[in-house]
């Protein structure tokens, strides 16, 4: 890891802390930092808390480098953010969107929001240092293209990079949305956890894998597509074409569908009233009914949590993570969902796999996606800068 990346991951270290982290002598660290300050990459932004003696200066990536654009695109909504080099969110905008309308419609909206946010901050396209984008489907990370995404059939092999290249000279990186959530959590933790999972439960179900301190994408970028693990061979048909996928039985649309069935069968007056008001139900409606003690809603929430836990138990047995962070819109249906998920994992996993396992909600919550997008863009920009510098030195 280079000095710039180390500063990024450390959230403002001192020179001595940087030297210790990288295994450099103080003299070497001071020389490298001084050179990067002169080149406009780093800045000293004030003294740290005193531990005796002269207080050390805090290092930070220079704000004059530019800004990052982060896009967290989900199946039913999108959030766009402008972030500073220290990954502080400077401006953001979120709104509903349907990815099934295709990339033309969706990216026309995203480009409009990007321009509006930059204008709000009195910035231009040339001020953008890098762009990170998370999408709800399998991504070939090298090309930045989606490959046969079940939730996004019109997006297969669409080049998001080319779409943005006409307006931005900044490099663009595209990844699966839950991988970026995992990257965001890894940055929040300053890489202090080496092996953990982030599970996103929304319209679909995905898993971000952090292995040995790095996001693991697999051979082709499809690692973590746990939503299509079968939990019932006799279950309903999934978008992917198979039967009984956990996504088809426990994600947001499945929860809403079970709520409609309970309302129509006369099992829940609460859900029946909600259905008559809007002619449809959302997972939040089932969550509201559950929090008010509705027995049918409670059963739906418990069943969904248990099915996700059944799938997750297999992943825990296989990977043996220290932590599992749960995120996505479905987590908003209430604590009963997480409790049922936990119970299922602990019942079905091997004792050694769960001896020190912690399962909880994602600490970054709804911010994980856009922060992770910013981390991806910044990390790749810094890596490219180091590579370019080495090439110039070698020449």
């Amino acid at each position: 890891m280079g000095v710039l990346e180390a500063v990024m991951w450390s959230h403002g270290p001192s020179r001595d802390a940087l030297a210790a982290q990288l295994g450099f002598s103080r003299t070497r660290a001071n020389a490298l930092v001084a050179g990067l300050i002169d080149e406009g990459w780093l800045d000293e932004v004030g003294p740290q808390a005193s531990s005796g003696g002269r207080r050390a200066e805090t290092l930070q990536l220079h704000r004059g480098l530019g800004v990052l654009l982060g896009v967290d695109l989900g199946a039913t909504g999108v959030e766009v953010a402008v972030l500073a080099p220290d990954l502080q969110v400077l401006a953001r905008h979120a709104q509903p969107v349907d990815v099934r309308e295709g990339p033309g419609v969706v990216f026309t909206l995203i480009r409009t929001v990007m321009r509006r946010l930059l204008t709000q901050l009195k910035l231009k396209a040339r001020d953008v240092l890098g762009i990170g984008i998370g999408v709800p489907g399998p991504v070939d990370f090298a090309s930045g293209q989606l490959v046969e995404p079940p939730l996004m059939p019109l997006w297969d092999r669409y080049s998001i990079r080319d779409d943005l290249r006409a307006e931005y000279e900044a490099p663009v990186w595209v990844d699966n949305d839950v991988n970026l959530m995992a990257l965001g959590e890894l940055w929040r933790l300053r890489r202090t956890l080496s092996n953990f999972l982030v599970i996103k439960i929304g319209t679909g179900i995905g898993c971000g894998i952090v292995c040995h301190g790095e996001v693991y994408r697999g051979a082709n970028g499809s690692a973590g597509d746990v939503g299509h693990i079968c939990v019932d061979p006799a279950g309903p048909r999934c978008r992917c074409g198979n039967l009984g996928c956990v996504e088809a039985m426990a994600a947001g649309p499945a929860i809403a569908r079970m709520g409609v069935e309970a309302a129509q069968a006369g099992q829940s007056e609460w859900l029946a009233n909600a259905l008559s008001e809007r002619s449809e139900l959302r997972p939040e409606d089932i969550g509201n009914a559950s929090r008010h003690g509705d027995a049918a809603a409670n059963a739906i929430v418990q069943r969904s949590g248990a099915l996700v836990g059944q799938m997750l138990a297999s992943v825990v047995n296989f990977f043996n993570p220290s932590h599992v962070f749960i995120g996505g819109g479905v987590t908003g249906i209430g604590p009963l969902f997480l409790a049922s998920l936990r119970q299922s994992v602990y019942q079905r996993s091997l004792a050694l796999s769960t001896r020190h396992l912690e399962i909880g909600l994602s600490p970054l919550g709804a911010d994980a996606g856009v922060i992770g997008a910013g981390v991806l863009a910044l990390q790749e920009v810094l890596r490219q800068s180091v590579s370019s510098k080495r090439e110039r030195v070698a020449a």
Side-chain angles (χ1 to χ4, degrees):
M1 183 189 301
V3 173
L4 296 175
E5 273 194 84
V7 171
M8 181 194 87
W9 288 106
S10 300
H11 298 207
S14 66
R15 295 189 187 209
D16 286 351
L18 196 62
Q21 180 182 346
L22 295 172
F24 294 166
S25 67
R26 287 188 179 183
T27 302
R28 185 184 177 193
N30 283 335
L32 289 170
V33 167
L36 290 167
I37 289 174
D38 289 343
E39 293 173 13
W41 284 97
L42 290 181
D43 198 5
E44 290 181 314
V45 293
Q48 299 191 338
S50 177
S51 57
R54 183 180 176 183
R55 292 197 293 175
E57 289 286 327
T58 302
L59 293 170
Q60 182 176 289
L61 291 170
H62 198 289
R63 286 218 165 196
L65 290 173
V67 295
L68 306 158
L69 289 174
V71 179
D72 181 20
L73 177 62
T76 59
V78 65
E79 181 167 16
V80 181
V82 182
L83 303 98
D86 63 359
L87 297 171
Q88 175 189 346
V89 175
L90 303 175
R92 69 199 313 162
H93 175 80
Q95 72 177 73
V97 70
D98 187 347
V99 294
R100 293 173 299 180
E101 293 183 344
V105 172
V106 172
F107 262 88
T108 295
L109 168 65
I110 289 173
R111 288 194 304 273
T112 300
V113 173
M114 285 178 168
R115 286 193 293 268
R116 188 185 310 147
L117 293 178
L118 290 172
T119 300
Q120 178 182 322
L121 295 168
K122 299 181 180 179
L123 297 171
K124 304 290 186 182
R126 63 174 177 270
D127 297 312
V128 176
L129 187 63
I131 303 172
I133 299 174
V135 292
V139 174
D140 181 327
F141 187 69
S143 68
Q145 295 179 347
L146 286 122
V147 182
E148 298 184 21
L151 294 175
M152 312 165 72
L154 299 178
W155 294 69
D156 186 35
R157 298 294 178 182
Y158 182 76
S159 179
I160 293 173
R161 288 176 179 168
D162 288 345
D163 189 303
L164 293 173
R165 193 166 287 149
E167 192 162 350
Y168 296 94
E169 294 182 7
V172 179
W173 288 274
V174 185
D175 204 350
N176 176 265
D177 57 352
V178 72
N179 283 348
L180 295 193
M181 290 174 65
L183 198 55
E185 294 294 350
L186 187 62
W187 177 80
R188 177 191 65 84
L189 291 160
R190 306 185 188 195
R191 296 178 103 154
T192 55
L193 293 183
S194 297
N195 301 284
F196 65 87
L197 303 175
V198 175
I199 304 292
K200 181 181 181 182
I201 310 164
T203 303
I205 299 176
C207 176
I209 305 166
V210 172
C211 182
H212 300 308
E214 299 285 347
V215 171
Y216 178 74
R217 298 182 176 89
N220 301 109
S222 67
D225 204 354
V226 297
H228 301 289
I229 291 176
C230 179
V231 290
D232 182 359
R237 190 167 297 280
C238 181
R239 289 182 178 88
C240 71
N242 292 318
L243 297 174
C245 295
V246 66
E247 185 172 295
M249 299 187 67
I255 291 170
R257 184 187 69 242
M258 288 187 282
V260 170
E261 291 170 354
Q264 293 175 339
Q267 298 170 354
S268 168
E269 183 178 354
W270 182 287
L271 294 177
N273 289 337
L275 182 61
S276 65
E277 288 175 5
R278 285 195 310 275
S279 73
E280 65 174 8
L281 291 178
R282 302 163 299 179
E284 306 93 89
D285 297 318
I286 288 80
N288 288 335
S290 174
R291 282 189 288 271
H292 283 82
D294 185 89
N298 281 341
I300 292 169
V301 172
Q302 286 177 311
R303 172 175 167 76
S304 300
L307 286 171
V308 175
Q310 178 183 330
M311 171 277 293
L312 189 52
S314 299
V315 178
V316 165
N317 282 335
F318 173 75
F319 183 61
N320 188 205
S322 65
H323 293 69
V324 177
F325 300 114
I326 311 295
V330 168
T331 58
I333 65 175
L336 182 59
F337 180 85
L338 184 60
S340 301
L341 184 155
R342 278 188 179 130
Q343 183 180 20
S344 186
V345 170
Y346 288 123
Q347 282 181 344
R348 292 174 175 271
S349 298
L350 297 173
L352 185 59
S353 297
T354 56
R355 182 173 294 173
H356 302 294
L357 176 66
E358 294 185 24
I359 303 174
L361 297 178
S362 164
L364 284 176
D367 290 339
V370 290
I371 289 177
V375 174
L376 175 66
L378 183 57
Q379 177 178 255
E380 298 301 327
V381 164
L382 297 181
R383 286 177 176 175
Q384 282 191 357
S385 73
V386 171
S387 297
S388 298
K389 189 172 183 178
R390 285 174 180 163
E391 288 173 5
R392 289 196 303 270
V393 170

